[in-house]
Amino acid sequence: MDTLTHALSGALLARATEGRHPSPDRLPRGVRMWAGFFAAAFPDSDVITRFIDPLTYLSAHRGITHSVVLLPLWALGLAFTFSWVYRRKYSWRTFVGVCALGIGIHIARDVITAFGTMILAPFSYWRVRIPTTFIIDPYFTAIILGGLIASAWWKNTRLPAVLGLTVLISYVGFQDILRHHAVGVGEEYAARHGLDVGPVEAIPQPFSPFHWMVVLTRRDAYYLTYVSLSRRDIPAIPPVDASWARRVIASYFQVEDAIWKRVPSFGSGDDINLVEQAWNSETLAPYRRFAMFPALYRVDHEKAGDCVWFNDLRFAMAGRAIPFRYGVCRDGADTAWRVYRLSTDENGREISHSIPR
């Protein structure tokens, strides 16, 4: 979720949990909502790890600042900071509760996306994910804004904020129902074709809560498809100059017409041993911890040595190159692997970036 929506959700929660009657030991409404706003934005401060290197950011993002274990520590730190900002006009004790709520709603919101959140950091790299909601969901944001606007209009009651949160929770619940429906699509396909697969995953997609990518995982390959649970027609093929949004929307088919694609996990043929060595190299360990559906992108054989590149199919989407492509290169069989990031410039050309290790 974008940081602004996180911050707005913190302000809405702060308003919804405000005491019914003002008292000397309570924060004024405006101060309380601003504290909730900034506290809910705080976990994304881990963006500073980008200045170390992109792979560190990828493996550390949604780590310690998103940890429920460390939440009390962050809430206390923010409470003291806010008290200092207001020159101790308000005690840190009046801030700590709203700070904890703001951080908590941020963590909860990130858990329902496919990226995953390390809620037990720093004691575990495990990423919990219940992927009901795409990372940028305009409907989700609109519900929050509606609750805040209604709260500003009806100032004498917190009911609009409570109703806004109730609608928000209901919306996520509805998305979870759709997620289970999408998982059922995958399970039915696997059963019909006699495929022995692991747990079926459904990944939310942009523009509609009815858009899903369904992924079946086998030892040697993935089977994936893009479906719209609301579509009742075959989408028209967009023209060559169609916008990215139009191309994406046209890639989701109704369940009956779903197009399944088989993607090998680590290729085949003569390179398979090389690919497995590259994937299991120590220098790629942070990417292994992060990737949900790792798959070979390509192998480059050059005079200078070999390079092996990987995707995470979790981020595969029509009309764009898959982000977070990483790989390793070496000069010869007896040399160490070096990690690189692969990006695309404005002309669509791929550029590799060395990452110091």
Side-chain angles (χ1 to χ4, degrees):
M1 173 60 69
D2 60 285
T3 303
L4 178 58
T5 300
H6 276 307
L8 292 173
S9 67
L12 183 65
L13 182 58
R15 178 68 180 93
T17 55
E18 183 183 12
R20 293 180 180 274
H21 305 289
S23 64
D25 61 339
R26 288 179 180 166
L27 294 172
R29 178 176 300 164
V31 174
R32 179 180 176 85
M33 291 180 69
W34 277 114
F37 180 93
F38 287 110
F42 162 77
D44 280 345
S45 61
D46 63 4
V47 70
I48 61 174
T49 56
R50 281 185 184 272
F51 296 104
I52 302 174
D53 66 65
L55 188 53
T56 296
Y57 170 73
L58 196 64
S59 60
H61 182 46
R62 298 193 185 180
I64 59 172
T65 59
H66 292 65
S67 170
V68 296
V69 178
L70 297 179
L71 186 154
L73 177 64
W74 302 132
L76 280 171
L78 287 175
F80 279 111
T81 300
F82 290 141
S83 179
W84 175 80
V85 167
Y86 283 96
R87 299 181 180 180
R88 294 184 173 81
K89 182 178 180 181
Y90 311 108
S91 167
W92 64 269
R93 294 179 179 83
T94 61
F95 282 105
V96 70
V98 70
C99 289
L101 289 172
I103 297 170
I105 197 171
H106 184 123
I107 296 171
R109 175 59 186 90
D110 277 348
V111 163
I112 61 174
T113 65
F115 195 92
T117 305
M118 293 180 278
I119 62 172
L120 300 180
F123 303 108
S124 172
Y125 289 118
W126 174 59
R127 289 182 182 269
V128 59
R129 56 176 69 87
I130 307 173
T132 63
T133 312
F134 190 65
I135 194 167
I136 297 177
D137 188 323
Y139 305 105
F140 192 98
T141 304
I143 292 170
I144 295 172
L145 284 172
L148 288 171
I149 292 170
S151 295
W153 185 265
W154 286 284
K155 297 180 179 180
N156 296 326
T157 175
R158 61 180 182 177
L159 182 60
V162 173
L163 289 177
L165 288 173
T166 302
V167 172
L168 196 64
I169 294 170
S170 300
Y171 175 63
V172 174
F174 173 66
Q175 290 177 311
D176 194 46
I177 293 172
L178 295 176
R179 181 175 70 90
H180 281 87
H181 186 181
V183 168
V185 170
E187 292 173 340
E188 193 277 333
Y189 178 85
R192 189 168 70 248
H193 291 83
L195 297 176
D196 182 16
V197 300
V200 177
E201 298 284 353
I203 306 298
Q205 301 289 285
F207 303 121
S208 171
F210 295 97
H211 289 170
W212 294 86
M213 178 174 71
V214 184
V215 184
L216 312 180
T217 303
R218 302 189 71 184
R219 182 181 180 278
D220 61 340
Y222 302 98
Y223 291 79
L224 58 87
T225 190
Y226 299 86
V227 296
S228 170
L229 301 180
S230 62
R231 175 158 268 160
R232 294 296 177 263
D233 60 350
I234 298 176
I237 299 176
V240 176
D241 60 348
S243 66
W244 173 77
R246 185 173 176 184
R247 293 198 304 272
V248 171
I249 292 172
S251 67
Y252 300 96
F253 286 73
Q254 61 178 331
V255 172
E256 292 78 8
D257 299 314
I259 300 172
W260 288 85
K261 181 179 180 181
R262 182 182 182 275
V263 181
S265 301
F266 297 117
S268 58
D270 296 337
D271 286 328
I272 192 165
N273 289 333
L274 176 68
V275 172
E276 289 182 353
Q277 289 177 32
W279 177 248
N280 291 311
S281 63
E282 179 60 28
T283 190
L284 208 57
Y287 189 70
R288 285 199 303 274
R289 291 194 295 266
F290 169 77
M292 184 176 182
F293 303 127
L296 175 68
Y297 174 47
R298 72 167 189 251
V299 178
D300 295 334
H301 296 292
E302 301 175 354
K303 291 182 179 180
D306 301 315
C307 291
V308 186
W309 302 97
F310 298 95
N311 289 314
D312 186 349
L313 297 179
R314 169 179 28 166
F315 304 105
M317 190 182 301
R320 73 166 187 181
I322 299 178
F324 310 130
R325 279 179 173 153
Y326 285 82
V328 287
C329 300
R330 68 181 182 184
D331 299 328
D334 297 327
T335 61
W337 291 102
R338 303 180 305 276
V339 65
Y340 290 82
R341 176 173 63 93
L342 201 62
S343 66
T344 305
D345 66 15
E346 62 275 7
N347 298 315
R349 294 174 299 187
E350 292 182 329
I351 304 172
S352 61
H353 307 268
S354 175
I355 298 176
R357 278 284 173 263

Coordinates of all heavy atoms in Angstrom, one line a residue, residues 143-187:
I143 N -12.6 4.6 0.4 CA -13.3 4.3 1.6 C -12.8 5.1 2.8 O -13.5 5.7 3.6 CB -13.4 2.8 1.9 CG1 -14.2 2.0 0.8 CG2 -14.0 2.5 3.3 CD1 -14.0 0.5 0.9
I144 N -11.4 5.1 2.9 CA -10.8 5.8 4.0 C -11.1 7.3 3.8 O -11.5 8.0 4.8 CB -9.3 5.6 3.9 CG1 -9.0 4.1 4.3 CG2 -8.6 6.5 5.0 CD1 -7.5 3.7 4.1
L145 N -10.9 7.9 2.6 CA -11.2 9.3 2.4 C -12.7 9.6 2.7 O -13.0 10.7 3.3 CB -10.9 9.7 0.9 CG -9.4 9.8 0.6 CD1 -9.2 10.0 -0.9 CD2 -8.8 11.0 1.4
G146 N -13.6 8.7 2.3 CA -15.0 8.9 2.6 C -15.2 9.0 4.1 O -16.0 9.9 4.6
G147 N -14.6 8.1 4.9 CA -14.7 8.2 6.3 C -14.2 9.5 6.9 O -14.8 10.0 7.8
L148 N -13.0 9.9 6.4 CA -12.5 11.2 6.9 C -13.3 12.4 6.6 O -13.5 13.3 7.4 CB -11.0 11.3 6.4 CG -10.0 10.4 7.0 CD1 -8.7 10.5 6.2 CD2 -9.7 10.7 8.4
I149 N -13.8 12.4 5.3 CA -14.6 13.6 4.9 C -15.9 13.6 5.7 O -16.4 14.7 6.2 CB -14.9 13.5 3.4 CG1 -13.7 13.7 2.6 CG2 -16.0 14.5 3.0 CD1 -13.8 13.4 1.1
A150 N -16.5 12.4 5.9 CA -17.8 12.4 6.7 C -17.5 12.8 8.2 O -18.3 13.5 8.8 CB -18.4 11.0 6.7
S151 N -16.3 12.4 8.7 CA -16.0 12.8 10.1 C -15.8 14.3 10.2 O -16.1 14.9 11.2 CB -14.7 12.1 10.5 OG -14.9 10.7 10.6
A152 N -15.2 14.9 9.1 CA -15.1 16.4 9.2 C -16.4 17.1 9.1 O -16.6 18.2 9.6 CB -14.2 16.8 8.0
W153 N -17.4 16.5 8.4 CA -18.7 17.1 8.3 C -19.5 16.9 9.6 O -20.1 17.9 10.1 CB -19.4 16.5 7.1 CG -20.8 17.1 6.8 CD1 -22.0 16.7 7.2 CD2 -21.0 18.3 6.0 NE1 -23.0 17.6 6.7 CE2 -22.4 18.5 6.0 CE3 -20.1 19.1 5.3 CZ2 -22.9 19.6 5.3 CZ3 -20.7 20.2 4.7 CH2 -22.0 20.4 4.7
W154 N -19.5 15.7 10.1 CA -20.2 15.4 11.4 C -19.2 15.4 12.5 O -18.7 14.4 12.9 CB -21.0 14.1 11.3 CG -22.2 14.2 10.4 CD1 -23.4 14.8 10.8 CD2 -22.4 13.7 9.1 NE1 -24.3 14.7 9.7 CE2 -23.7 14.0 8.7 CE3 -21.5 13.1 8.2 CZ2 -24.2 13.7 7.4 CZ3 -22.0 12.7 6.9 CH2 -23.3 13.0 6.6
K155 N -18.9 16.6 13.0 CA -17.8 16.7 14.0 C -18.1 16.2 15.4 O -17.2 16.0 16.2 CB -17.4 18.2 14.0 CG -16.8 18.7 12.7 CD -16.4 20.2 12.9 CE -15.9 20.8 11.5 NZ -15.5 22.2 11.7
N156 N -19.4 16.1 15.7 CA -19.8 15.9 17.1 C -19.9 14.4 17.4 O -20.3 14.0 18.5 CB -21.1 16.6 17.4 CG -20.9 18.1 17.4 OD1 -19.8 18.6 17.7 ND2 -22.0 18.8 16.9
T157 N -19.6 13.5 16.4 CA -19.7 12.1 16.6 C -18.6 11.4 15.9 O -18.1 11.8 14.8 CB -21.1 11.6 16.2 OG1 -21.1 10.1 16.3 CG2 -21.3 12.0 14.7
R158 N -18.1 10.3 16.5 CA -17.1 9.5 15.8 C -17.7 8.4 14.9 O -17.0 7.6 14.4 CB -16.2 8.9 16.8 CG -16.9 7.9 17.8 CD -15.9 7.3 18.8 NE -16.5 6.4 19.7 CZ -15.9 5.7 20.7 NH1 -14.6 5.9 20.8 NH2 -16.6 4.9 21.4
L159 N -19.0 8.4 14.9 CA -19.7 7.3 14.1 C -19.3 7.2 12.7 O -19.1 6.1 12.2 CB -21.2 7.5 14.2 CG -22.1 6.5 13.5 CD1 -21.9 5.1 14.1 CD2 -23.6 6.9 13.6
P160 N -19.1 8.4 11.9 CA -18.7 8.2 10.5 C -17.3 7.5 10.4 O -17.1 6.7 9.5 CB -18.6 9.7 10.1 CG -19.5 10.4 10.9 CD -19.4 9.8 12.3
A161 N -16.4 7.8 11.3 CA -15.1 7.1 11.3 C -15.2 5.6 11.6 O -14.6 4.8 10.9 CB -14.1 7.8 12.3
V162 N -16.1 5.3 12.5 CA -16.3 3.9 12.9 C -17.0 3.2 11.7 O -16.6 2.1 11.3 CB -17.2 3.8 14.1 CG1 -17.6 2.3 14.4 CG2 -16.5 4.3 15.4
L163 N -17.9 3.8 11.1 CA -18.6 3.2 9.9 C -17.6 3.1 8.7 O -17.6 2.1 8.0 CB -19.8 4.1 9.4 CG -21.0 4.1 10.4 CD1 -22.1 5.0 9.8 CD2 -21.6 2.7 10.4
G164 N -16.7 4.1 8.6 CA -15.7 4.0 7.5 C -14.8 2.8 7.7 O -14.5 2.0 6.8
L165 N -14.4 2.5 9.0 CA -13.5 1.4 9.2 C -14.3 0.1 9.1 O -13.8 -0.9 8.6 CB -13.0 1.5 10.7 CG -11.9 2.5 10.9 CD1 -11.5 2.6 12.4 CD2 -10.6 2.2 10.1
T166 N -15.6 0.1 9.4 CA -16.4 -1.1 9.2 C -16.6 -1.4 7.8 O -16.5 -2.6 7.4 CB -17.8 -0.9 9.9 OG1 -17.7 -0.5 11.3 CG2 -18.7 -2.1 9.7
V167 N -16.8 -0.4 6.9 CA -16.9 -0.7 5.5 C -15.6 -1.2 5.0 O -15.5 -2.1 4.1 CB -17.3 0.6 4.8 CG1 -17.3 0.5 3.3 CG2 -18.7 1.0 5.2
L168 N -14.5 -0.6 5.5 CA -13.1 -1.0 5.0 C -12.9 -2.5 5.3 O -12.4 -3.3 4.5 CB -12.1 -0.2 5.7 CG -10.7 -0.1 5.1 CD1 -10.7 0.5 3.7 CD2 -9.7 0.6 6.0
I169 N -13.2 -2.9 6.5 CA -13.0 -4.3 7.0 C -13.9 -5.2 6.1 O -13.5 -6.3 5.7 CB -13.3 -4.5 8.5 CG1 -12.3 -3.7 9.3 CG2 -13.4 -5.9 8.8 CD1 -12.6 -3.6 10.7
S170 N -15.2 -4.7 5.9 CA -16.1 -5.5 5.0 C -15.6 -5.7 3.6 O -15.7 -6.8 3.0 CB -17.5 -4.9 5.0 OG -18.0 -4.8 6.3
Y171 N -15.0 -4.6 3.1 CA -14.4 -4.7 1.7 C -13.3 -5.7 1.7 O -13.2 -6.5 0.7 CB -13.9 -3.3 1.3 CG -13.2 -3.2 0.0 CD1 -13.9 -3.5 -1.2 CD2 -11.9 -2.9 -0.1 CE1 -13.3 -3.5 -2.4 CE2 -11.2 -2.8 -1.3 CZ -11.9 -3.1 -2.5 OH -11.3 -3.1 -3.7
V172 N -12.4 -5.7 2.6 CA -11.3 -6.7 2.7 C -11.9 -8.1 2.8 O -11.4 -9.0 2.2 CB -10.3 -6.4 3.8 CG1 -9.3 -7.4 3.9 CG2 -9.7 -5.0 3.5
G173 N -12.9 -8.2 3.6 CA -13.6 -9.5 3.8 C -14.2 -10.0 2.4 O -14.1 -11.2 2.1
F174 N -14.8 -9.1 1.7 CA -15.3 -9.4 0.4 C -14.2 -9.9 -0.6 O -14.3 -10.8 -1.3 CB -16.1 -8.2 -0.2 CG -16.5 -8.4 -1.6 CD1 -17.5 -9.3 -2.0 CD2 -16.0 -7.6 -2.6 CE1 -17.9 -9.5 -3.3 CE2 -16.4 -7.7 -3.9 CZ -17.3 -8.7 -4.3
Q175 N -13.1 -9.2 -0.5 CA -11.9 -9.5 -1.3 C -11.4 -10.9 -1.0 O -11.0 -11.7 -1.8 CB -10.8 -8.5 -1.2 CG -11.1 -7.2 -1.8 CD -10.0 -6.2 -1.5 OE1 -9.5 -6.0 -0.4 NE2 -9.5 -5.5 -2.5
D176 N -11.4 -11.3 0.3 CA -11.0 -12.6 0.7 C -11.9 -13.7 0.2 O -11.4 -14.8 -0.2 CB -10.9 -12.7 2.2 CG -10.1 -13.9 2.7 OD1 -9.0 -14.1 2.2 OD2 -10.6 -14.6 3.6
I177 N -13.2 -13.4 0.1 CA -14.1 -14.3 -0.5 C -13.8 -14.6 -1.9 O -13.8 -15.7 -2.4 CB -15.6 -13.8 -0.3 CG1 -16.0 -13.8 1.1 CG2 -16.5 -14.7 -1.2 CD1 -17.3 -13.2 1.4
L178 N -13.5 -13.5 -2.6 CA -13.1 -13.6 -4.0 C -11.8 -14.4 -4.2 O -11.6 -15.1 -5.1 CB -12.9 -12.2 -4.7 CG -14.2 -11.3 -4.8 CD1 -13.9 -10.0 -5.3 CD2 -15.2 -12.0 -5.7
R179 N -10.8 -14.1 -3.2 CA -9.6 -14.9 -3.3 C -9.8 -16.4 -3.2 O -9.2 -17.2 -3.9 CB -8.7 -14.4 -2.1 CG -7.3 -15.1 -2.1 CD -6.4 -14.5 -1.0 NE -6.8 -14.9 0.3 CZ -6.5 -16.0 1.0 NH1 -5.6 -16.8 0.4 NH2 -6.9 -16.2 2.2
H180 N -10.7 -16.8 -2.3 CA -11.0 -18.2 -2.2 C -11.6 -18.8 -3.4 O -11.4 -19.9 -3.8 CB -11.9 -18.5 -0.9 CG -11.1 -18.5 0.4 ND1 -10.9 -17.3 1.1 CD2 -10.5 -19.5 1.1 CE1 -10.2 -17.6 2.2 NE2 -10.0 -18.9 2.2
H181 N -12.4 -17.9 -4.1 CA -13.1 -18.3 -5.3 C -12.0 -18.5 -6.4 O -12.0 -19.5 -7.1 CB -14.0 -17.2 -5.8 CG -14.8 -17.6 -7.0 ND1 -15.8 -16.8 -7.6 CD2 -14.8 -18.7 -7.8 CE1 -16.3 -17.4 -8.7 NE2 -15.7 -18.5 -8.8
A182 N -11.0 -17.6 -6.4 CA -9.9 -17.7 -7.4 C -9.1 -19.0 -7.1 O -8.6 -19.7 -8.1 CB -9.1 -16.5 -7.4
V183 N -8.8 -19.2 -5.9 CA -8.1 -20.4 -5.5 C -8.8 -21.7 -6.0 O -8.2 -22.6 -6.5 CB -7.8 -20.5 -4.0 CG1 -7.3 -21.9 -3.5 CG2 -6.8 -19.4 -3.6
G184 N -10.1 -21.6 -5.8 CA -11.0 -22.8 -6.3 C -10.8 -23.0 -7.8 O -10.9 -24.1 -8.3
V185 N -10.7 -21.9 -8.6 CA -10.5 -22.0 -10.0 C -9.2 -22.8 -10.3 O -9.2 -23.7 -11.1 CB -10.4 -20.6 -10.7 CG1 -9.9 -20.7 -12.1 CG2 -11.7 -19.9 -10.6
G186 N -8.1 -22.5 -9.6 CA -6.9 -23.3 -9.7 C -7.0 -24.7 -9.3 O -6.5 -25.6 -10.0
E187 N -7.6 -24.9 -8.2 CA -7.8 -26.3 -7.7 C -8.6 -27.2 -8.7 O -8.3 -28.3 -8.9 CB -8.5 -26.3 -6.3 CG -7.6 -25.7 -5.2 CD -8.3 -25.5 -3.9 OE1 -9.5 -25.5 -3.9 OE2 -7.6 -25.4 -2.9

